Amino acid sequence: MNGFASNDAGFDGPGFDGAGLRRVLSELSVAQLLAVHDEAEKWLATASLSGALSGHAESELLDVLELREQTRRRGEVFDAALYLEVSDRDVDSTAGFMSVHSLYARGVRLGDGEARRRKVTATGIARFTAMTGEKLEPALPDTAAAVAEGEIGAEHVSVIAEAMERLPSRIAPDDRAQAETMLAAAARELDPGALVAVGNRILAWLDPDGTLADDRERRRQRGFHLQPQNRQMMSKVRALLTPTLRAKLEVVLHQWAAAGMNNPDDPESPRGAADQPGLDPAVLAAAAARDDRTIGQRQHDALEALCEWALALAGQPAPDRIPSQVVVTVTDEDLARQAGIAWTATGARLPISDLVKLAADAVPHLAVFSAATGQCLYLGRARRFASLAQRLALFARDRGCTGPGCSVPFVRTEAHHMPDWSRGGLTDIDHLGGACGRHNRSSGDRWGQWESVILDRGARAGRVAWRPAGRGGAWQVNPVFHPEQFAPHRARASTDDDHADPADHHGHEGHSGAPHHPAA
């Protein structure tokens, strides 16, 4: 071998004092070991930029590749142990976050997907502590061993964990353990995509006729998820439907997605179900003859028609809640030129051209909170809960939760008082902000909580800002619902404001100046 095939070969190669280095490393703290690791990464980067890799033969490069991936995979063991320690000791609360997921996703900026993956990996391969204080074996012992050897990585762990989750709860413990052993062995030879097929085959082998999956198991696995919008503002759906829901949906789609029905491109297309009383068969037949949509497009249009029908039947909302109608915020400039993007209260983006079409048939709330709307936005201590007018004004300004990095849409937020209502806060528009339930409950002045304020100067004046209580530092404004703030001219203008002395802004007492109402 050429010294790159394994860590041991590299340590004990000619002219290298592996034993001495191991002895030195064993005496270092975790922080010192990470510093050594960081320095090694810097040297690797320097060596690669200086052309050191070009001096190796092709066979050596293959060994380097294998060793690099083995080293990267072994790092998952430490990452899992760190995740577990952070969770057990509530480090997220100490840092001012409401969950370990938020700390990983927002605090160290890994994002939701990677934060979820870290949790799955830690749950599968980390060693939890029992109530008696002893260390338990990993939930996926063979998988953990393979990761420690650098044979499999985090993606393999995710596939194995998902496959184990899909096993019916009625499967015997020994069979469950054997399934994990088989999956871990397969992962040593296969990529994660191929491993999915192995998991499906193991499930079919353990439950060939599906009798072990009972109603309770199906209820546990049910779900319906709207995926994030892509660059074209289109959204994928990920769902796992119970047999009952599928049966009902098929019946509905059979009638609502029939050829000729609910065709948005045909103004003479009948609306509703194909078997509705009074529908002229000749009209439907003519519409079907004009219908060139695919079955997927017809079913999409049927769901949209069903949503319109349900919204039309929706009752009156509570007086302080956003109604069950389409509520949109848009700048008056974009509305005038019928271009750009609008935001809905559920967090979706909507092209202005579609908004104009929507407003022609529905009557969504499209208010402009600039001068006076004639509705009271200042209620003082007369009532605790924000009025509908105030909620609409908050939506126009905040568009969603104002907590740093939070992506909860406005329809799921509460009116957050600054200062808190329990501390004499006023139900006035310039003392309120949109906040999800978790961020609202995190408000306070104790260590591990957050304080909030409405900025009264700078490029982000009028926006709600947060920071961990008792730690000082810069106020954080949530950019998730305001991507326009990253435009070059806005970014330059806001730099000084973001790092200004926090004493320059009103703190937890709230902003007492005039309200800032952008066009909605």
Side-chain angles (χ1 to χ4, degrees), residues 292-472:
D292 59 357
R293 296 173 297 168
T294 65
I295 181 62
Q297 291 171 334
R298 296 207 312 266
Q299 292 186 149
H300 171 280
D301 297 340
L303 286 175
E304 183 175 0
L306 279 166
C307 289
E308 294 174 352
W309 176 76
L311 287 173
L313 294 179
Q316 290 298 315
D320 57 350
R321 304 304 298 172
I322 292 289
S324 298
Q325 300 174 13
V326 180
V327 184
V328 179
T329 180
V330 59
T331 65
D332 51 4
E333 177 185 357
D334 286 345
L335 188 60
R337 62 190 180 96
Q338 296 192 15
I341 300 299
W343 290 78
T344 71
T346 54
R349 293 171 293 154
L350 189 69
I352 300 299
S353 56
D354 286 355
L355 170 61
V356 173
K357 296 176 184 177
L358 178 66
D361 299 320
V363 186
H365 288 267
L366 250 175
V368 177
F369 301 96
S370 50
T373 63
Q375 299 193 57
C376 182
L377 299 180
Y378 295 85
L379 301 176
R381 297 288 294 179
R383 57 179 289 177
R384 177 176 181 178
F385 298 106
S387 66
L388 175 58
Q390 289 175 320
R391 290 278 293 167
L392 290 170
L394 292 177
F395 168 52
R397 184 191 69 200
D398 300 334
R399 301 179 185 170
C401 178
T402 57
C406 187
S407 59
V408 172
F410 187 82
V411 74
R412 287 161 45 198
T413 64
E414 304 167 357
H416 167 60
H417 289 76
M418 294 169 281
D420 290 338
W421 175 262
S422 60
R423 300 187 176 209
L426 304 177
T427 308
D428 291 345
I429 194 63
D430 50 4
H431 287 270
L432 296 174
C436 66
R438 291 199 303 169
H439 273 105
N440 209 352
R441 292 189 296 272
S442 74
S443 178
D445 55 8
R446 295 193 305 274
W447 186 263
Q449 294 183 311
W450 288 73
E451 56 184 355
S452 53
V453 66
I454 296 183
L455 301 178
D456 62 355
R457 66 194 65 184
R460 300 179 184 177
R463 297 282 305 281
V464 179
W466 300 68
R467 67 181 179 187
R471 296 172 60 186

Side-chain angles (χ1 to χ4, degrees), residues 131 261 340:
M131 297 295 292
M261 295 299 300

